[in-house]
Amino acid sequence: MEKIKTDRRLKGEFMCMWLLISFISGVVFCHAWHISGIAMFKITACICGIMSGVPLLLSAATWAFSNHINRGIKYAWKHYRLVLGLRKHLLNAGIYTTKKLGAMKWAEIPWITVDFAPDFKSGTVWIRNSIKFAEKLNSIDISPSMGRYVVEQVYLMDNKNHYRFDFYDSSLERRLVFDSFQAFKAHSDSLGNYELFIDSYTNLPLTHQLIVGQTGSGKSYALHGYLLQMLLKPVPYHLYFADPKASSIALLGERVSPETTSDDFEGIVALLETFVSQMKERQQKMKHCLSQKIDGDYRDFALSPHILVFDEFADFSLLLQSKDKKIRDHVNSLISSIVLKGRQAGFFLWIVMQQAGSNNIPTFIRDNLPWKVVLGNAEDQTYVTAFGAGADIPLRKMEAGDGVFTYPAVANKPRLCEFPTLDFDILDALGAGVM
């Protein structure tokens, strides 16, 4: 079966045919008037120019306009190559409308454009939606047609008229590697006081966070990078550490803030009570400030954030289940108060665990931790409990420190991330006066 041609292909063939007709017309004219030699060549070229000049100029202008030549020749060429690959991909996938004129028919492919970042490291593809192709566009993976670029997020715009495909250059290293504490500090200092970096693509404002991953997935190492960033901020970060397994996080807590570090059940409950008490004091102090900016938060008033890092939360939950109902209700009330009321005041809960199932963490608490990270090659059920059923997880082999995350308005669907490599001793950095 003959493959259907696109409208652009037919226009190109028509232009080539017209050029051939122009050339033949010139040759016939010269032959009829017995013109030969150099004169024949000049007259033939002149006739070709007269017959084809305007169509060629119009075609060139259309190409330049549609490929955004105003952004430079390099931009226009990259735009053309990428759109051409996408058009072939959509044609092979059957995403086109068949048009007819007499015996001739052609494929009309949905409108496509590309918006590259200035450094060409990332960008956005826009494809016009239609009733006929909405379902296909919602599920199609266009990455195979984009060379080294890989689609990271797909959105249907609010007006339902276009699909948006955000992509990045997969040939570039996402993971940041720091050979020294000084290099790490220099990068950290380039960020705002209330945001943290994960990799070269991802800087995020503080909020409640859930970190999930099996042993060896890089959870502790990710936390080490976070903590060093917080300790380097010009605005003091008040850190609290709860670690019922007395692991490396408890060790760091003893170095950083021993008075707000605990590794036993009673101590952790007392830590939660202290954290909530501090949060309530902050809320009272902020009342006057909020009267001047009612929708403001702690950042608007240059206040210090408070972060409670709760490692191995599942172990604590298991201990909690063995306590009487009064204690269980009290602890759950404290945690609920933090996740519901802490954001505006700058009090955040970070929960770290291997599995985020409802038997390990109350669903209500888990769903109110907006920044979620799953590290390593996790099981399907782990992704479901963290991100919800139907979450589209990028297919990739994850190394230690690799994972996916969601964050409101930044990554509504799971997006790849790679935590930095720290090729220096963290305890030495702490001992060198990071605090």
Side-chain angles (χ1 to χ4, degrees), residues 135-166:
E135 187 174 345
K136 286 186 176 181
L137 288 173
N138 186 54
S139 59
I140 193 171
D141 180 10
I142 64 174
S143 295
S145 66
M146 298 178 66
R148 69 176 187 268
Y149 292 113
V150 175
V151 172
E152 192 167 40
Q153 298 278 296
V154 181
Y155 309 93
L156 177 60
M157 303 310 293
D158 291 341
N159 59 15
K160 311 298 182 184
N161 290 333
H162 297 89
Y163 274 91
R164 169 178 172 165
F165 300 80
D166 292 341

Side-chain angles (χ1 to χ4, degrees), residues 63-75:
W63 184 93
F65 178 78
S66 61
N67 290 291
H68 308 285
I69 194 69
N70 59 305
R71 298 192 186 186
I73 296 175
K74 180 180 179 181
Y75 189 100

Side-chain angles (χ1 to χ4, degrees), residues 250-270:
L251 177 62
L252 280 177
E254 290 294 338
R255 289 287 190 99
V256 173
S257 182
E259 67 280 2
T260 55
T261 298
S262 183
D263 58 11
D264 62 87
F265 182 85
E266 289 74 17
I268 292 174
V269 173

